[in-house]
Amino acid sequence: MAKLILTQEVTGLGAAGDVVEVKNGYSRNYLLPRGFALMWTKGGEKQVDSIKAARAAREHASLEDAQKQAASLSAKPVKLMVKAGDSGRLFGTVKADDVAKAVEAAGLGRIDKRKVELPAHIKSVGSYQANVRLHEDVAAVIDLDVVAG
């Protein structure tokens, strides 16, 4: 087992700044190469404190603010303009960053692209849903209308 400090939120494992123990292969092949975690050391407690402080600064000020934004995100669909061919197939895929920018452009507030979860690769025009974790206890579902533009 490997002891790690998470640098980002990993679904099903923990949030940034958490110290977790995972199997060696999972840490060596997935978490460390992608930058999701750092090896735990005795001096790493300072890193844990700085990661938690940065996470607190990025989070919503309160649960009520997160709930208000979740209600506004779920209320109306977000239109996402992408380049597509005649058959409706995209030139590339829709990324979490694209969704975050579209939400901000629609006037629904800013969201962190790292908090956006796309259910699958979006490779054609149509209607999709994406999950956004706004707070530890609040998640919102965004209706995406992917249209050729």
Side-chain angles (χ1 to χ4, degrees):
M1 298 292 275
K3 199 168 187 180
L4 302 173
I5 301 170
L6 295 178
T7 57
Q8 295 182 24
E9 184 170 340
V10 178
T11 305
L13 189 58
D18 290 348
V19 177
V20 296
E21 283 194 39
V22 296
K23 292 189 176 185
N24 291 330
Y26 185 50
S27 66
R28 180 178 58 243
N29 297 325
Y30 182 72
L31 295 174
L32 293 173
R34 287 176 172 78
F36 294 155
L38 301 169
M39 292 299 293
W40 182 86
T41 60
K42 289 184 181 179
E45 294 302 319
K46 292 178 188 172
Q47 288 179 322
V48 170
D49 294 338
S50 67
I51 289 170
K52 285 185 178 181
R55 181 178 73 184
R58 281 193 309 266
E59 283 184 353
H60 284 312
S62 68
L63 181 63
E64 292 82 22
D65 292 341
Q67 289 171 339
K68 287 178 188 175
Q69 188 174 16
S72 67
L73 288 172
S74 300
K76 77 177 202 180
V78 175
K79 192 173 186 179
L80 185 60
M81 301 286 285
V82 293
K83 292 183 180 180
D86 293 334
S87 63
R89 190 158 169 83
L90 303 185
F91 298 133
T93 61
V94 174
K95 298 176 185 68
D97 185 43
D98 300 329
V99 174
K101 288 178 182 176
V103 166
E104 189 172 354
L108 299 174
R110 294 186 62 148
I111 57 173
D112 190 357
K113 69 179 180 182
R114 293 173 287 201
K115 304 283 185 174
V116 177
E117 294 177 354
L118 296 173
H121 294 287
I122 299 175
K123 296 184 178 183
S124 61
V125 296
S127 295
Y128 299 93
Q129 289 187 332
N131 295 321
V132 180
R133 293 178 317 276
L134 298 171
H135 190 269
E136 195 173 291
D137 301 327
V138 180
V141 177
I142 300 174
D143 292 321
L144 294 174
D145 288 334
V146 180
V147 294

